[in-house]
Amino acid sequence: MRLGVCAQALQHLPFADGVQRARDLGFHAMELPVHAGNPWVDLAASLAGRSEDVLLPFRAAGLDISALSNHTEGQLLLGPHGVDTDQVFRGDAAAKSEFARNRLILTAELARRLGVGVVCGFTGCEDYSRWFPYPLADGYERMVPEFRERLLPVLDAFEQRGVRFAIECHPKQFAYNLETAQLALAAVDHHPALAFNLDPANLLIAGTDPVVFVAELGDRIAHVHAKDGESVAHNAGRSGLLAHGAWGRRDRGFRFRIPGWGDVPWRRLLTELQLAGYDGVVALEHEDPAFSPMEGLERGAEFLEPLLFRDPKPRDTWW
């Protein structure tokens, strides 16, 4: 396993400076966002011009790209398609879904040109509130045909380019816990291009044990976010884990943390990843409201680096 980082906490810096800073902090790889409006990479311009120019800051710093990401635009594949996503793209539901499909495929094409094998992202969800079986008891299951119809062409396009689409289980996504991740796989006939970006904190907020997720679906994990999460006991009794309002509000019942400062059992989780044969990048994602960008990355890396397995899983016992 290798220590990586998600770019967002560094994107206040110019592109080359941010990549170099990541290397100086001891990271070996970076997940690189390419959605419209991100400050570093213009997806359309990169495809229209010299795509390999995206690699120049990474080559200069001696850093790899572990994955491209396009969560923002992927959300529009299934929605919601109202005002919630107008800031991403304005149009009716059909136009928004088509926009997402095209942008995800363009992301896969850029990944192919850069020699990156994974794109992390979201698929969205028509009506995430259907996790609660009222007023329609089988409401979630009724969304399966649309999920299949919209995702299969995307997965076929990814497979043609030799890239896997690692969807991230998260609130407001069709796959948000272990059961819906398994439902998503079954819906697309276990398509070889469908994988998962494991984010343990997102699973915690859904009440799912991330260690169990790895035990069940470890062979489908193509990328990992090192993000911790904390159930804040003195707040959770009031707001619960699914609190509304800004992520930075002090009285939320759940907050994201850097690794080691929350409830994720990192030794058990990394052990299960090792036993599942995962030998990829574990990318620190810093969304902790208590730490500045740089201190959060430094402290998170200090905690996580000593825990990562240095060698692949052994094939045979020796005792």
Side-chain angles (χ1 to χ4, degrees):
M1 300 177 190
R2 292 189 300 151
L3 183 64
V5 65
C6 297
Q8 288 83 351
L10 294 159
Q11 288 192 305
H12 62 287
L13 299 170
F15 187 13
D17 293 346
V19 174
Q20 183 60 55
R21 180 68 65 85
R23 192 68 186 91
D24 293 342
L25 289 168
F27 297 105
H28 303 283
M30 177 181 287
E31 178 189 301
L32 182 65
V34 298
H35 61 275
N38 86 84
W40 283 359
V41 177
D42 185 314
L43 176 58
S46 296
L47 289 169
R50 285 172 44 87
S51 302
E52 60 270 23
D53 286 352
V54 175
L55 295 172
L56 296 179
F58 293 92
R59 289 172 177 163
L63 205 71
D64 294 329
I65 301 175
S66 61
L68 300 186
S69 67
N70 197 336
H71 294 74
T72 302
E73 294 168 342
Q75 179 74 42
L76 274 66
L77 192 65
L78 286 154
H81 290 134
V83 296
D84 307 57
T85 51
D86 278 352
Q87 60 181 337
V88 181
F89 180 80
R90 289 185 176 271
D92 60 18
K96 286 186 174 185
S97 183
E98 180 67 10
F99 169 80
R101 185 185 72 85
N102 290 336
R103 293 289 290 185
L104 285 172
I105 292 173
L106 290 177
T107 303
E109 175 60 21
L110 181 59
R112 183 193 69 80
R113 296 188 190 183
L114 299 179
V116 176
V118 178
V119 168
C120 300
F122 288 154
T123 65
C125 185
E126 175 193 342
D127 185 356
Y128 175 67
S129 70
R130 284 178 172 168
W131 65 265
F132 192 81
Y134 177 84
L136 194 59
D138 64 342
Y140 223 88
E141 288 74 14
R142 291 193 186 192
M143 294 190 294
V144 169
E146 185 176 30
F147 177 86
R148 175 184 174 87
E149 177 186 353
R150 296 196 180 175
L151 196 60
L152 274 176
V154 172
L155 294 174
D156 288 342
F158 270 64
E159 185 178 27
Q160 291 166 7
R161 291 163 173 80
V163 178
R164 301 178 80 189
F165 186 24
I167 62 175
E168 184 175 329
C169 293
H170 190 284
K172 297 198 80 169
Q173 307 309 310
F174 180 83
Y176 69 91
N177 62 7
L178 174 58
E179 290 183 343
T180 49
Q182 292 169 326
L183 184 64
L185 277 170
V188 295
D189 304 323
H190 292 79
H191 197 292
L194 182 60
F196 293 99
N197 175 44
L198 175 71
D199 187 311
N202 295 342
L203 293 171
L204 286 184
I205 200 173
T208 298
D209 186 337
V211 179
V212 176
F213 189 97
V214 178
E216 295 286 333
L217 293 176
D219 62 332
R220 285 280 176 164
I221 294 172
H223 196 260
V224 175
H225 277 178
K227 186 171 70 182
D228 217 325
E230 176 187 22
S231 175
V232 187
H234 58 280
N235 294 332
R238 178 181 60 252
S239 72
L241 300 185
L242 299 175
H244 67 278
W247 278 110
R249 61 178 263 208
R250 288 183 59 191
D251 57 350
R252 292 189 69 89
F254 183 92
R255 61 172 69 110
F256 291 132
R257 305 305 311 268
I258 60 170
W261 285 73
D263 302 328
V264 172
W266 287 102
R267 285 177 172 81
R268 289 199 299 118
L269 182 67
L270 293 169
T271 295
E272 205 62 42
L273 282 165
Q274 170 82 343
L275 295 176
Y278 184 77
D279 190 30
V281 168
V282 179
L284 198 159
E285 184 177 26
H286 175 16
E287 296 178 351
D288 190 320
F291 287 97
S292 68
M294 290 304 105
E295 185 182 8
L297 293 181
E298 291 171 1
R299 301 282 290 274
E302 287 171 1
F303 171 83
L304 198 60
E305 174 70 45
L307 301 182
L308 296 182
F309 288 86
R310 297 180 178 87
D311 297 326
K313 171 189 171 184
R315 295 183 179 180
D316 302 309
T317 58
W318 60 94
W319 64 89

PDB file of all heavy atoms in Angstrom, residues 253-281:
ATOM      1  N   GLY A 253     -24.143  16.106  14.902  1.00  0.00           N
ATOM      2  CA  GLY A 253     -23.977  14.822  15.572  1.00  0.00           C
ATOM      3  C   GLY A 253     -22.907  13.957  14.948  1.00  0.00           C
ATOM      4  O   GLY A 253     -22.509  12.932  15.524  1.00  0.00           O
ATOM      5  N   PHE A 254     -22.419  14.346  13.771  1.00  0.00           N
ATOM      6  CA  PHE A 254     -21.364  13.591  13.090  1.00  0.00           C
ATOM      7  C   PHE A 254     -20.475  14.584  12.376  1.00  0.00           C
ATOM      8  O   PHE A 254     -20.957  15.547  11.766  1.00  0.00           O
ATOM      9  CB  PHE A 254     -21.968  12.608  12.079  1.00  0.00           C
ATOM     10  CG  PHE A 254     -20.951  11.737  11.391  1.00  0.00           C
ATOM     11  CD1 PHE A 254     -20.627  10.492  11.905  1.00  0.00           C
ATOM     12  CD2 PHE A 254     -20.314  12.155  10.222  1.00  0.00           C
ATOM     13  CE1 PHE A 254     -19.692   9.675  11.281  1.00  0.00           C
ATOM     14  CE2 PHE A 254     -19.369  11.352   9.594  1.00  0.00           C
ATOM     15  CZ  PHE A 254     -19.065  10.116  10.120  1.00  0.00           C
ATOM     16  N   ARG A 255     -19.171  14.354  12.455  1.00  0.00           N
ATOM     17  CA  ARG A 255     -18.244  15.208  11.704  1.00  0.00           C
ATOM     18  C   ARG A 255     -17.138  14.340  11.107  1.00  0.00           C
ATOM     19  O   ARG A 255     -16.780  13.292  11.651  1.00  0.00           O
ATOM     20  CB  ARG A 255     -17.632  16.293  12.590  1.00  0.00           C
ATOM     21  CG  ARG A 255     -16.821  15.798  13.774  1.00  0.00           C
ATOM     22  CD  ARG A 255     -16.094  16.950  14.488  1.00  0.00           C
ATOM     23  NE  ARG A 255     -16.997  17.829  15.163  1.00  0.00           N
ATOM     24  CZ  ARG A 255     -17.111  17.930  16.503  1.00  0.00           C
ATOM     25  NH1 ARG A 255     -16.340  17.162  17.284  1.00  0.00           N
ATOM     26  NH2 ARG A 255     -17.949  18.762  17.051  1.00  0.00           N
ATOM     27  N   PHE A 256     -16.629  14.772   9.975  1.00  0.00           N
ATOM     28  CA  PHE A 256     -15.487  14.104   9.368  1.00  0.00           C
ATOM     29  C   PHE A 256     -14.215  14.519  10.095  1.00  0.00           C
ATOM     30  O   PHE A 256     -14.086  15.652  10.552  1.00  0.00           O
ATOM     31  CB  PHE A 256     -15.379  14.446   7.878  1.00  0.00           C
ATOM     32  CG  PHE A 256     -16.477  13.854   7.039  1.00  0.00           C
ATOM     33  CD1 PHE A 256     -17.167  14.631   6.119  1.00  0.00           C
ATOM     34  CD2 PHE A 256     -16.816  12.520   7.159  1.00  0.00           C
ATOM     35  CE1 PHE A 256     -18.171  14.095   5.345  1.00  0.00           C
ATOM     36  CE2 PHE A 256     -17.825  11.963   6.392  1.00  0.00           C
ATOM     37  CZ  PHE A 256     -18.507  12.755   5.483  1.00  0.00           C
ATOM     38  N   ARG A 257     -13.266  13.576  10.218  1.00  0.00           N
ATOM     39  CA  ARG A 257     -12.010  13.813  10.904  1.00  0.00           C
ATOM     40  C   ARG A 257     -10.848  13.312  10.048  1.00  0.00           C
ATOM     41  O   ARG A 257     -11.040  12.527   9.124  1.00  0.00           O
ATOM     42  CB  ARG A 257     -11.966  13.091  12.259  1.00  0.00           C
ATOM     43  CG  ARG A 257     -13.098  13.377  13.222  1.00  0.00           C
ATOM     44  CD  ARG A 257     -13.275  14.872  13.528  1.00  0.00           C
ATOM     45  NE  ARG A 257     -12.066  15.584  13.896  1.00  0.00           N
ATOM     46  CZ  ARG A 257     -11.622  15.752  15.144  1.00  0.00           C
ATOM     47  NH1 ARG A 257     -12.285  15.202  16.159  1.00  0.00           N
ATOM     48  NH2 ARG A 257     -10.531  16.448  15.382  1.00  0.00           N
ATOM     49  N   ILE A 258      -9.640  13.755  10.376  1.00  0.00           N
ATOM     50  CA  ILE A 258      -8.456  13.167   9.753  1.00  0.00           C
ATOM     51  C   ILE A 258      -8.226  11.792  10.393  1.00  0.00           C
ATOM     52  O   ILE A 258      -8.705  11.523  11.500  1.00  0.00           O
ATOM     53  CB  ILE A 258      -7.221  14.074   9.916  1.00  0.00           C
ATOM     54  CG1 ILE A 258      -6.908  14.303  11.391  1.00  0.00           C
ATOM     55  CG2 ILE A 258      -7.407  15.386   9.162  1.00  0.00           C
ATOM     56  CD1 ILE A 258      -5.580  14.990  11.646  1.00  0.00           C
ATOM     57  N   PRO A 259      -7.497  10.899   9.722  1.00  0.00           N
ATOM     58  CA  PRO A 259      -7.263   9.561  10.283  1.00  0.00           C
ATOM     59  C   PRO A 259      -6.658   9.622  11.683  1.00  0.00           C
ATOM     60  O   PRO A 259      -5.738  10.390  11.954  1.00  0.00           O
ATOM     61  CB  PRO A 259      -6.288   8.935   9.279  1.00  0.00           C
ATOM     62  CG  PRO A 259      -6.606   9.608   7.987  1.00  0.00           C
ATOM     63  CD  PRO A 259      -6.948  11.027   8.359  1.00  0.00           C
ATOM     64  N   GLY A 260      -7.228   8.788  12.560  1.00  0.00           N
ATOM     65  CA  GLY A 260      -6.744   8.712  13.924  1.00  0.00           C
ATOM     66  C   GLY A 260      -7.509   9.564  14.912  1.00  0.00           C
ATOM     67  O   GLY A 260      -7.347   9.406  16.124  1.00  0.00           O
ATOM     68  N   TRP A 261      -8.380  10.448  14.415  1.00  0.00           N
ATOM     69  CA  TRP A 261      -9.121  11.347  15.289  1.00  0.00           C
ATOM     70  C   TRP A 261     -10.610  11.018  15.328  1.00  0.00           C
ATOM     71  O   TRP A 261     -11.394  11.779  15.889  1.00  0.00           O
ATOM     72  CB  TRP A 261      -8.903  12.803  14.860  1.00  0.00           C
ATOM     73  CG  TRP A 261      -7.550  13.318  15.245  1.00  0.00           C
ATOM     74  CD1 TRP A 261      -6.352  12.982  14.675  1.00  0.00           C
ATOM     75  CD2 TRP A 261      -7.246  14.233  16.287  1.00  0.00           C
ATOM     76  NE1 TRP A 261      -5.323  13.638  15.296  1.00  0.00           N
ATOM     77  CE2 TRP A 261      -5.844  14.422  16.292  1.00  0.00           C
ATOM     78  CE3 TRP A 261      -8.013  14.932  17.212  1.00  0.00           C
ATOM     79  CZ2 TRP A 261      -5.204  15.273  17.196  1.00  0.00           C
ATOM     80  CZ3 TRP A 261      -7.374  15.773  18.112  1.00  0.00           C
ATOM     81  CH2 TRP A 261      -5.990  15.939  18.095  1.00  0.00           C
ATOM     82  N   GLY A 262     -10.997   9.900  14.733  1.00  0.00           N
ATOM     83  CA  GLY A 262     -12.399   9.533  14.704  1.00  0.00           C
ATOM     84  C   GLY A 262     -12.616   8.100  15.146  1.00  0.00           C
ATOM     85  O   GLY A 262     -11.848   7.559  15.948  1.00  0.00           O
ATOM     86  N   ASP A 263     -13.648   7.478  14.616  1.00  0.00           N
ATOM     87  CA  ASP A 263     -14.091   6.164  15.069  1.00  0.00           C
ATOM     88  C   ASP A 263     -13.708   5.021  14.141  1.00  0.00           C
ATOM     89  O   ASP A 263     -14.055   3.867  14.412  1.00  0.00           O
ATOM     90  CB  ASP A 263     -15.620   6.174  15.229  1.00  0.00           C
ATOM     91  CG  ASP A 263     -16.101   7.242  16.212  1.00  0.00           C
ATOM     92  OD1 ASP A 263     -15.350   7.527  17.158  1.00  0.00           O
ATOM     93  OD2 ASP A 263     -17.212   7.775  16.003  1.00  0.00           O
ATOM     94  N   VAL A 264     -13.020   5.279  13.039  1.00  0.00           N
ATOM     95  CA  VAL A 264     -12.629   4.206  12.121  1.00  0.00           C
ATOM     96  C   VAL A 264     -11.548   3.339  12.774  1.00  0.00           C
ATOM     97  O   VAL A 264     -10.529   3.865  13.244  1.00  0.00           O
ATOM     98  CB  VAL A 264     -12.102   4.775  10.786  1.00  0.00           C
ATOM     99  CG1 VAL A 264     -11.509   3.665   9.915  1.00  0.00           C
ATOM    100  CG2 VAL A 264     -13.217   5.495  10.036  1.00  0.00           C
ATOM    101  N   PRO A 265     -11.737   2.018  12.805  1.00  0.00           N
ATOM    102  CA  PRO A 265     -10.700   1.123  13.363  1.00  0.00           C
ATOM    103  C   PRO A 265      -9.635   0.834  12.301  1.00  0.00           C
ATOM    104  O   PRO A 265      -9.681  -0.172  11.596  1.00  0.00           O
ATOM    105  CB  PRO A 265     -11.505  -0.135  13.720  1.00  0.00           C
ATOM    106  CG  PRO A 265     -12.624  -0.154  12.727  1.00  0.00           C
ATOM    107  CD  PRO A 265     -12.957   1.276  12.429  1.00  0.00           C
ATOM    108  N   TRP A 266      -8.657   1.713  12.208  1.00  0.00           N
ATOM    109  CA  TRP A 266      -7.736   1.684  11.074  1.00  0.00           C
ATOM    110  C   TRP A 266      -6.930   0.400  10.975  1.00  0.00           C
ATOM    111  O   TRP A 266      -6.709  -0.111   9.872  1.00  0.00           O
ATOM    112  CB  TRP A 266      -6.802   2.899  11.117  1.00  0.00           C
ATOM    113  CG  TRP A 266      -7.544   4.143  10.746  1.00  0.00           C
ATOM    114  CD1 TRP A 266      -8.016   5.105  11.594  1.00  0.00           C
ATOM    115  CD2 TRP A 266      -7.962   4.519   9.430  1.00  0.00           C
ATOM    116  NE1 TRP A 266      -8.697   6.063  10.880  1.00  0.00           N
ATOM    117  CE2 TRP A 266      -8.677   5.737   9.559  1.00  0.00           C
ATOM    118  CE3 TRP A 266      -7.801   3.960   8.169  1.00  0.00           C
ATOM    119  CZ2 TRP A 266      -9.230   6.396   8.460  1.00  0.00           C
ATOM    120  CZ3 TRP A 266      -8.352   4.619   7.069  1.00  0.00           C
ATOM    121  CH2 TRP A 266      -9.047   5.816   7.219  1.00  0.00           C
ATOM    122  N   ARG A 267      -6.473  -0.155  12.069  1.00  0.00           N
ATOM    123  CA  ARG A 267      -5.684  -1.388  11.991  1.00  0.00           C
ATOM    124  C   ARG A 267      -6.528  -2.537  11.440  1.00  0.00           C
ATOM    125  O   ARG A 267      -6.071  -3.308  10.597  1.00  0.00           O
ATOM    126  CB  ARG A 267      -5.099  -1.722  13.366  1.00  0.00           C
ATOM    127  CG  ARG A 267      -3.935  -0.840  13.766  1.00  0.00           C
ATOM    128  CD  ARG A 267      -3.418  -1.152  15.163  1.00  0.00           C
ATOM    129  NE  ARG A 267      -2.195  -0.417  15.455  1.00  0.00           N
ATOM    130  CZ  ARG A 267      -2.162   0.853  15.859  1.00  0.00           C
ATOM    131  NH1 ARG A 267      -3.299   1.523  16.024  1.00  0.00           N
ATOM    132  NH2 ARG A 267      -1.006   1.450  16.101  1.00  0.00           N
ATOM    133  N   ARG A 268      -7.757  -2.664  11.916  1.00  0.00           N
ATOM    134  CA  ARG A 268      -8.624  -3.729  11.411  1.00  0.00           C
ATOM    135  C   ARG A 268      -8.995  -3.491   9.956  1.00  0.00           C
ATOM    136  O   ARG A 268      -9.048  -4.425   9.151  1.00  0.00           O
ATOM    137  CB  ARG A 268      -9.900  -3.838  12.255  1.00  0.00           C
ATOM    138  CG  ARG A 268      -9.664  -4.403  13.642  1.00  0.00           C
ATOM    139  CD  ARG A 268     -10.943  -4.927  14.263  1.00  0.00           C
ATOM    140  NE  ARG A 268     -11.959  -3.907  14.418  1.00  0.00           N
ATOM    141  CZ  ARG A 268     -13.145  -3.919  13.825  1.00  0.00           C
ATOM    142  NH1 ARG A 268     -13.480  -4.905  13.003  1.00  0.00           N
ATOM    143  NH2 ARG A 268     -14.018  -2.950  14.037  1.00  0.00           N
ATOM    144  N   LEU A 269      -9.243  -2.224   9.604  1.00  0.00           N
ATOM    145  CA  LEU A 269      -9.635  -1.917   8.226  1.00  0.00           C
ATOM    146  C   LEU A 269      -8.495  -2.203   7.251  1.00  0.00           C
ATOM    147  O   LEU A 269      -8.689  -2.838   6.209  1.00  0.00           O
ATOM    148  CB  LEU A 269     -10.052  -0.445   8.132  1.00  0.00           C
ATOM    149  CG  LEU A 269     -10.525   0.004   6.740  1.00  0.00           C
ATOM    150  CD1 LEU A 269     -11.837  -0.676   6.376  1.00  0.00           C
ATOM    151  CD2 LEU A 269     -10.685   1.527   6.698  1.00  0.00           C
ATOM    152  N   LEU A 270      -7.292  -1.743   7.578  1.00  0.00           N
ATOM    153  CA  LEU A 270      -6.151  -1.968   6.691  1.00  0.00           C
ATOM    154  C   LEU A 270      -5.790  -3.449   6.619  1.00  0.00           C
ATOM    155  O   LEU A 270      -5.378  -3.941   5.561  1.00  0.00           O
ATOM    156  CB  LEU A 270      -4.957  -1.144   7.165  1.00  0.00           C
ATOM    157  CG  LEU A 270      -5.130   0.374   7.029  1.00  0.00           C
ATOM    158  CD1 LEU A 270      -4.026   1.111   7.771  1.00  0.00           C
ATOM    159  CD2 LEU A 270      -5.170   0.795   5.563  1.00  0.00           C
ATOM    160  N   THR A 271      -5.965  -4.164   7.725  1.00  0.00           N
ATOM    161  CA  THR A 271      -5.720  -5.608   7.704  1.00  0.00           C
ATOM    162  C   THR A 271      -6.684  -6.296   6.748  1.00  0.00           C
ATOM    163  O   THR A 271      -6.282  -7.162   5.953  1.00  0.00           O
ATOM    164  CB  THR A 271      -5.876  -6.195   9.117  1.00  0.00           C
ATOM    165  OG1 THR A 271      -4.861  -5.650   9.963  1.00  0.00           O
ATOM    166  CG2 THR A 271      -5.750  -7.715   9.090  1.00  0.00           C
ATOM    167  N   GLU A 272      -7.957  -5.911   6.793  1.00  0.00           N
ATOM    168  CA  GLU A 272      -8.946  -6.536   5.907  1.00  0.00           C
ATOM    169  C   GLU A 272      -8.656  -6.196   4.447  1.00  0.00           C
ATOM    170  O   GLU A 272      -8.829  -7.038   3.552  1.00  0.00           O
ATOM    171  CB  GLU A 272     -10.360  -6.102   6.297  1.00  0.00           C
ATOM    172  CG  GLU A 272     -11.449  -7.091   5.902  1.00  0.00           C
ATOM    173  CD  GLU A 272     -11.299  -8.436   6.586  1.00  0.00           C
ATOM    174  OE1 GLU A 272     -10.997  -8.480   7.783  1.00  0.00           O
ATOM    175  OE2 GLU A 272     -11.486  -9.456   5.880  1.00  0.00           O
ATOM    176  N   LEU A 273      -8.203  -4.971   4.190  1.00  0.00           N
ATOM    177  CA  LEU A 273      -7.800  -4.611   2.822  1.00  0.00           C
ATOM    178  C   LEU A 273      -6.612  -5.458   2.363  1.00  0.00           C
ATOM    179  O   LEU A 273      -6.572  -5.933   1.226  1.00  0.00           O
ATOM    180  CB  LEU A 273      -7.442  -3.125   2.755  1.00  0.00           C
ATOM    181  CG  LEU A 273      -8.607  -2.144   2.714  1.00  0.00           C
ATOM    182  CD1 LEU A 273      -8.128  -0.729   3.021  1.00  0.00           C
ATOM    183  CD2 LEU A 273      -9.293  -2.184   1.353  1.00  0.00           C
ATOM    184  N   GLN A 274      -5.637  -5.635   3.237  1.00  0.00           N
ATOM    185  CA  GLN A 274      -4.466  -6.456   2.916  1.00  0.00           C
ATOM    186  C   GLN A 274      -4.885  -7.886   2.600  1.00  0.00           C
ATOM    187  O   GLN A 274      -4.438  -8.482   1.615  1.00  0.00           O
ATOM    188  CB  GLN A 274      -3.488  -6.426   4.093  1.00  0.00           C
ATOM    189  CG  GLN A 274      -2.332  -7.407   4.022  1.00  0.00           C
ATOM    190  CD  GLN A 274      -1.168  -6.918   3.176  1.00  0.00           C
ATOM    191  OE1 GLN A 274      -1.322  -5.984   2.382  1.00  0.00           O
ATOM    192  NE2 GLN A 274      -0.011  -7.538   3.316  1.00  0.00           N
ATOM    193  N   LEU A 275      -5.756  -8.455   3.428  1.00  0.00           N
ATOM    194  CA  LEU A 275      -6.191  -9.840   3.212  1.00  0.00           C
ATOM    195  C   LEU A 275      -7.051  -9.972   1.965  1.00  0.00           C
ATOM    196  O   LEU A 275      -7.121 -11.048   1.365  1.00  0.00           O
ATOM    197  CB  LEU A 275      -6.956 -10.339   4.437  1.00  0.00           C
ATOM    198  CG  LEU A 275      -6.122 -10.458   5.725  1.00  0.00           C
ATOM    199  CD1 LEU A 275      -6.998 -10.866   6.897  1.00  0.00           C
ATOM    200  CD2 LEU A 275      -4.983 -11.449   5.531  1.00  0.00           C
ATOM    201  N   ALA A 276      -7.697  -8.876   1.559  1.00  0.00           N
ATOM    202  CA  ALA A 276      -8.491  -8.888   0.326  1.00  0.00           C
ATOM    203  C   ALA A 276      -7.618  -8.719  -0.910  1.00  0.00           C
ATOM    204  O   ALA A 276      -8.121  -8.793  -2.042  1.00  0.00           O
ATOM    205  CB  ALA A 276      -9.540  -7.783   0.371  1.00  0.00           C
ATOM    206  N   GLY A 277      -6.314  -8.482  -0.710  1.00  0.00           N
ATOM    207  CA  GLY A 277      -5.402  -8.332  -1.838  1.00  0.00           C
ATOM    208  C   GLY A 277      -5.254  -6.915  -2.349  1.00  0.00           C
ATOM    209  O   GLY A 277      -4.668  -6.695  -3.412  1.00  0.00           O
ATOM    210  N   TYR A 278      -5.747  -5.927  -1.587  1.00  0.00           N
ATOM    211  CA  TYR A 278      -5.611  -4.542  -2.034  1.00  0.00           C
ATOM    212  C   TYR A 278      -4.178  -4.075  -1.828  1.00  0.00           C
ATOM    213  O   TYR A 278      -3.650  -4.113  -0.717  1.00  0.00           O
ATOM    214  CB  TYR A 278      -6.561  -3.622  -1.260  1.00  0.00           C
ATOM    215  CG  TYR A 278      -6.506  -2.200  -1.761  1.00  0.00           C
ATOM    216  CD1 TYR A 278      -7.144  -1.841  -2.937  1.00  0.00           C
ATOM    217  CD2 TYR A 278      -5.802  -1.212  -1.076  1.00  0.00           C
ATOM    218  CE1 TYR A 278      -7.088  -0.540  -3.417  1.00  0.00           C
ATOM    219  CE2 TYR A 278      -5.737   0.083  -1.538  1.00  0.00           C
ATOM    220  CZ  TYR A 278      -6.385   0.413  -2.713  1.00  0.00           C
ATOM    221  OH  TYR A 278      -6.316   1.707  -3.197  1.00  0.00           O
ATOM    222  N   ASP A 279      -3.559  -3.611  -2.913  1.00  0.00           N
ATOM    223  CA  ASP A 279      -2.173  -3.153  -2.847  1.00  0.00           C
ATOM    224  C   ASP A 279      -2.039  -1.807  -3.556  1.00  0.00           C
ATOM    225  O   ASP A 279      -1.044  -1.528  -4.214  1.00  0.00           O
ATOM    226  CB  ASP A 279      -1.243  -4.191  -3.492  1.00  0.00           C
ATOM    227  CG  ASP A 279       0.234  -3.879  -3.237  1.00  0.00           C
ATOM    228  OD1 ASP A 279       0.536  -3.280  -2.186  1.00  0.00           O
ATOM    229  OD2 ASP A 279       1.065  -4.212  -4.101  1.00  0.00           O
ATOM    230  N   GLY A 280      -3.084  -0.986  -3.407  1.00  0.00           N
ATOM    231  CA  GLY A 280      -3.099   0.297  -4.091  1.00  0.00           C
ATOM    232  C   GLY A 280      -2.834   1.455  -3.154  1.00  0.00           C
ATOM    233  O   GLY A 280      -2.195   1.326  -2.116  1.00  0.00           O
ATOM    234  N   VAL A 281      -3.362   2.602  -3.538  1.00  0.00           N
ATOM    235  CA  VAL A 281      -3.140   3.853  -2.821  1.00  0.00           C
ATOM    236  C   VAL A 281      -4.232   4.054  -1.777  1.00  0.00           C
ATOM    237  O   VAL A 281      -5.408   3.779  -2.015  1.00  0.00           O
ATOM    238  CB  VAL A 281      -3.107   5.034  -3.811  1.00  0.00           C
ATOM    239  CG1 VAL A 281      -3.182   6.370  -3.090  1.00  0.00           C
ATOM    240  CG2 VAL A 281      -1.843   4.954  -4.663  1.00  0.00           C
TER     241      VAL A 281
END
